[in-house]
Amino acid sequence: MNTPNQAPSATEYGGDEVSAIVLDPGFSTTRAGFAGEDTPKSLIPTYYGKYSFEGQEKLIYGDDVFVTPRPGLSIHNPIGRDGIVEDWDMAEKVWEYSFTSKLTGAKPGNPLHNGLNDVPEGEPVSEMEGVESEEKPLADSPLLMSESSWNPTKAREKTIEIAMEKWGTPAFYLARNGVLAAFAAGKASALVVDIGASNISVTPVHDGMILKRGVQHSPLGGDYISSQIRALFKSNSPQPITITPHYLISAKTAVEAGQPPQVKYKTFPPERAPDASYRTFLEERTLSEFKECVVQVWPGPTKLSATGPNGVPNEEMARSSPGRPFEFPDGYNQVFGVDRYRVVESLFDAKAAIQDPETLFPAPTQAQTVPEIIKAALNGVDVDIRPHLLSNVVVTGASSLLYGFTDRLNQELTQLYPGPRVRISAPGNTSERRFSSWIGGSILASLGTFHQMWISKKEFDEHGPNIVEKRCK
C-alpha cells in the first residue's frame, strides 16, 4: 500500500498510465468514455435491431439502428421498464459495442497474419510465444459501471461476471447512479432527482452513501410523457395528428399551419416492410424533438388546473402566452398553445393526465408524481438530515431539461416545505444534465484516492461474484 504522498507505481490502477473506462447504461441510451474526460465519447441507443438475412439472424447496434428500414427489422431493448436488465446476452452485446466501437477499437489480429511476419515459401513457421488467441476487449482497462439504486443482488453479480470473465477487465467497480450524480454536482450529500426515459427516481445520498430506505422510483419518465403527447395528438382538432417517420415519405410540399399535409408516401410490400416496432421507434424520435422544442412545464406557483394568485384561471394565462410552432416529418404543422403544458402536467398533478385507452402506460396515481415521491423519500430518512437534503436537491436526467421543469419543482417543494431552505442545483449545460451519472463516474474513477476501491481480478477469483455486494455499497 502506498503512502498518500507517494505517487502510485505505473503498474497500479490509479496511476495516470491506465485510463479506466466508465460505462453508464440507461434504458434509452448507453454512455461510455474514458475516466477524466468531461463527456462520454460514445453515446448509443440501448435499443438494438434484429432481422434475418439468408436464414441467419443479424443484429444492428448504435445509430445504425435508425438508418435502413430493412425487411422484417424489429427493435428491442435488453433492459426492462423498471431499469433492470431482462436479456443479459443482449445487454452484454450492446454494452460491449458501446465501448469497442469508439474507445477500445477492434481486437488485434494474430501477429502471424498481419503482413509483418509473413513466412517466405518453404520455411517452417516458428511458434510465437505468449500470443493469446483470444484477446479480451478490456484486458488493459479498469471498468467503472453505474447501476440503479434498486438493482437486485443477482443482477449486480451478473454484471461483475461479465466484466471479469467475458471482457477480461483487470479491475472493476459498480457505483449507484444517485451517488455519481451527486459527485458530478460536487456534493457528497444530496437529494438526487433523476428524470430518465423509463423512470423518475429520487435518491437520498448522505456522505457518499445511499440511504436505501429513502430510495423511491416511479414510471412517469420521458417515455410516459411521450405517451401523453400521443394521447394529445389523437384528440387534436380539427383532425388527429399522425406521426409519419421520414423513411415513409418520398416528397412533401410546404403547407399552411393546420392544413392537411401534401405528401407522397413510400410504400413497402409486406415482405420488404420492417416490423411495426421499427416505425414506433422512429416515431419516438419525433416525439423527442417535440418535447425539446414545444413542451413546457407550467411554472406555478399553483397547478395548471387551478386559479392563479390574481384570480385568473391558469389555463387562461397559458392561452394568452404565444404558442410554439412544430412541423412534423410529413410537413403538417401547427402552433401549440395551452396543450404544450398539458402533456407534462401529470408529473405534478395526476388528475391532469390525458386519457388514452390504447396506451401501454397505466393512469398515474398521485403517489407517483414528482412532489409525492420526493416527500416519500424524505420521510424515509432521518428527520435531522432532511433540511440538509432539501438545500441540496440535484436535478438530473435528460427529461428534466423540459422547459420550466426546475422552476415548477422549486415552487412545489417550497409549498411542501415552507420552513427549510429549498435549493435546487440543476446545471444549465445540457450535456451535464444528460450525462451527470457518467460525469460523476469519470470524476470518481480518475481520483488517485479511488484506486484502493477497485475490485481486482485476483479478489474476484478468490471471493467470487458476491464480492460486489461487500465492496460496492
Side-chain angles (χ1 to χ4, degrees):
M1 209 46 216
N2 288 326
T3 50
N5 53 7
Q6 185 188 343
S9 67
T11 51
E12 278 183 43
Y13 313 114
D16 292 336
E17 288 72 16
V18 185
S19 198
I21 284 179
V22 178
L23 177 61
D24 177 26
F27 178 80
S28 162
T29 58
T30 296
R31 302 154 285 264
F34 293 111
E37 297 194 349
D38 50 7
T39 47
K41 264 205 169 64
S42 164
L43 173 68
I44 63 160
T46 305
Y47 294 86
Y48 63 93
K50 195 152 84 174
Y51 67 101
S52 292
F53 182 69
E54 293 177 349
Q56 285 188 315
E57 186 180 85
K58 301 276 188 190
L59 298 166
I60 310 179
Y61 309 105
D63 290 335
D64 296 348
V65 174
F66 298 109
V67 184
T68 340
R70 298 166 194 270
L73 174 62
S74 57
I75 302 294
H76 309 268
N77 192 324
I79 296 180
R81 286 229 149 264
D82 56 358
I84 308 292
V85 175
E86 284 177 354
D87 178 345
W88 279 100
D89 291 343
M90 284 315 303
E92 180 191 324
K93 287 181 174 143
V94 169
W95 295 345
E96 186 170 327
Y97 177 86
S98 77
F99 56 77
T100 51
S101 60
K102 299 265 186 11
L103 309 178
T104 56
K107 297 175 187 159
N110 184 333
L112 282 177
H113 308 305
N114 64 4
L116 299 175
N117 297 296
D118 286 349
V119 178
E121 288 291 312
E123 277 191 26
V125 178
S126 58
E127 281 297 310
M128 287 206 170
E129 284 184 19
V131 174
E132 285 255 345
S133 55
E134 187 56 27
E135 180 73 25
K136 294 193 170 166
L138 289 181
D140 305 327
S141 312
L143 175 69
L144 175 91
M145 264 180 85
S146 73
E147 57 167 353
S148 60
S149 311
W150 55 90
N151 206 16
T153 304
K154 279 271 176 287
R156 307 185 77 202
E157 293 182 359
K158 184 81 183 150
T159 311
I160 190 170
E161 278 177 10
I162 290 172
M164 291 284 182
E165 290 166 4
K166 302 280 180 67
W167 298 337
T169 183
F172 178 78
Y173 194 79
L174 193 57
R176 314 272 190 181
N177 299 101
V179 173
L180 296 179
F183 286 162
K187 299 175 188 297
S189 301
L191 186 70
V192 178
V193 181
D194 184 348
I195 321 278
S198 63
N199 272 289
I200 297 177
S201 65
V202 179
T203 314
V205 179
H206 186 61
D207 284 339
M209 299 295 276
I210 275 186
L211 303 174
K212 281 232 174 92
R213 285 203 321 265
V215 174
Q216 299 289 328
H217 60 116
S218 128
L220 309 187
D223 292 348
Y224 164 76
I225 302 168
S226 295
S227 76
Q228 286 282 286
I229 298 171
R230 284 183 189 271
L232 170 75
F233 289 173
K234 285 179 192 169
S235 61
N236 186 62
S237 61
Q239 72 269 12
I241 297 171
T242 46
I243 306 171
T244 310
H246 289 287
Y247 77 95
L248 289 171
I249 293 162
S250 64
K252 63 179 176 185
T253 316
V255 293
E256 290 295 309
Q259 294 306 308
Q262 293 190 359
V263 61
K264 271 209 197 96
Y265 295 111
K266 272 189 204 148
T267 49
F268 290 89
E271 72 282 358
R272 307 279 310 148
D275 183 79
S277 60
Y278 180 76
R279 173 169 182 161
T280 308
F281 181 61
L282 287 189
E283 287 174 4
E284 289 290 325
R285 282 196 99 173
T286 299
L287 291 169
S288 290
E289 273 173 43
F290 186 84
K291 280 186 281 199
E292 288 164 17
C293 305
V294 178
V295 175
Q296 242 177 300
V297 181
W298 177 250
T302 48
K303 296 186 175 83
L304 182 60
S305 58
T307 304
N310 51 6
V312 180
N314 287 337
E315 297 227 352
E316 285 301 311
M317 293 289 290
R319 272 195 193 87
S320 64
S321 69
R324 291 189 170 191
F326 187 80
E327 182 178 317
F328 292 86
D330 60 5
Y332 176 80
N333 65 94
Q334 86 176 48
V335 175
F336 291 86
V338 67
D339 287 337
R340 70 177 189 272
Y341 295 107
R342 284 199 182 116
V343 291
V344 66
E345 184 64 14
S346 53
L347 263 64
F348 297 94
D349 173 14
K351 290 190 199 68
I354 304 168
Q355 303 300 316
D356 175 8
E358 293 167 13
T359 181
L360 300 170
F361 289 85
T365 62
Q366 194 56 33
Q368 290 171 336
T369 60
V370 180
E372 289 299 319
I373 61 172
I374 290 178
K375 200 158 107 185
L378 287 166
N379 287 345
V381 304
D382 205 313
V383 68
D384 299 346
I385 58 175
R386 285 176 206 170
H388 184 55
L389 293 178
L390 275 166
S391 61
N392 291 284
V393 178
V394 171
V395 174
T396 174
S399 303
S400 73
L401 289 161
L402 288 168
Y403 194 84
F405 179 84
T406 45
D407 299 344
R408 174 65 175 273
L409 183 62
N410 197 23
Q411 292 284 2
E412 297 275 344
L413 292 182
T414 313
Q415 282 171 20
L416 276 174
Y417 300 99
R421 225 166 118 210
V422 173
R423 292 187 67 176
I424 293 182
S425 82
N429 176 335
T430 53
S431 63
E432 282 181 35
R433 195 96 66 91
R434 286 170 60 204
F435 307 139
S436 74
S437 52
W438 186 90
I439 293 169
S442 171
I443 293 169
L444 193 60
S446 59
L447 291 176
T449 47
F450 180 71
H451 70 201
Q452 64 223 24
M453 303 289 286
W454 291 110
I455 298 172
S456 68
K457 178 80 174 86
K458 191 166 146 230
E459 290 173 293
F460 172 76
D461 292 341
E462 268 172 38
H463 301 279
N466 186 259
I467 187 167
V468 76
E469 276 295 291
K470 301 185 183 76
R471 293 281 292 281
C472 307
K473 289 278 188 274

